[in-house]
Amino acid sequence: MPVRALTARARLSAAAAVALVAVGAPTAYATLGDEAAPAAASAASQPFVETRLLFGTERPDGGPDVTDRQFMAFVDREVTPRFPDGLTVQEGHGQWRDAAGKIERERSYELMLLYPTADARVGGLRIEQIREAYKRAFGQESVGRVDDRVRVDF
């Protein structure tokens, strides 16, 4: 195939990709704002922040893994008083690269919290307190945090 034909085809493909992104991106981002609601959301839905925390269970110092009982006691002691309206805990298996560059695979927990965007500043401070408490209690290097704006209706 001639180079000129390949270049024209590559340009056409790139232009088509840019057009698709340009059309689709505003729709995707619109659902993340406080004012915009996804089509499937009820009229009563409200803007919330969803925070997911990712807790590892292996101790970097080689001590015993954090047990289910220890983790749930931590939730009762540190999380529930800060977020008494509700939470979700899921068990998982994850991996991450530690401070020494080693890939660690371990049993983990994912904690999901939902709170109104109006409470985001206070909620964020409480979440940081939870993260620090877990690192101190179980000798962890970090606790992962993921935040997203969502629409919620209970």
Side-chain angles (χ1 to χ4, degrees):
M1 180 176 286
V3 174
R4 182 172 288 182
L6 182 60
T7 304
R9 235 182 236 170
R11 278 190 237 155
L12 182 58
S13 294
V18 168
L20 286 173
V21 169
V23 170
T27 303
Y29 289 120
T31 62
L32 297 177
D34 288 348
E35 295 78 29
S42 77
S45 69
Q46 299 294 315
F48 272 64
V49 176
E50 174 185 6
T51 297
R52 292 182 295 139
L53 297 177
L54 308 169
F55 299 90
T57 58
E58 287 187 9
R59 298 179 196 235
D61 65 3
D65 290 0
V66 177
T67 66
D68 289 340
R69 176 178 271 158
Q70 289 172 317
F71 184 77
M72 291 314 296
F74 174 83
V75 169
D76 291 344
R77 182 178 64 253
E78 300 290 342
V79 182
T80 300
R82 290 179 173 95
F83 292 92
D85 291 340
L87 55 92
T88 299
V89 173
Q90 298 182 58
E91 290 186 48
H93 296 278
Q95 72 178 43
W96 73 298
R97 187 180 308 271
D98 68 13
K102 182 180 174 199
I103 298 290
E104 299 286 346
R105 291 179 178 86
E106 61 188 321
R107 188 173 53 81
S108 60
Y109 296 96
E110 178 182 19
L111 172 69
M112 184 179 70
L113 301 163
L114 295 168
Y115 46 98
T117 56
D119 299 336
R121 189 181 69 70
V122 172
L125 293 173
R126 290 177 180 160
I127 286 165
E128 289 308 306
Q129 292 169 344
I130 292 166
R131 294 174 74 201
E132 289 304 314
Y134 191 80
K135 290 189 295 187
R136 268 192 322 274
F138 300 109
Q140 298 293 302
E141 289 181 12
S142 70
V143 172
R145 177 177 178 171
V146 179
D147 293 296
D148 201 4
R149 290 180 180 261
V150 296
R151 304 287 303 188
V152 176
D153 181 13
F154 294 101

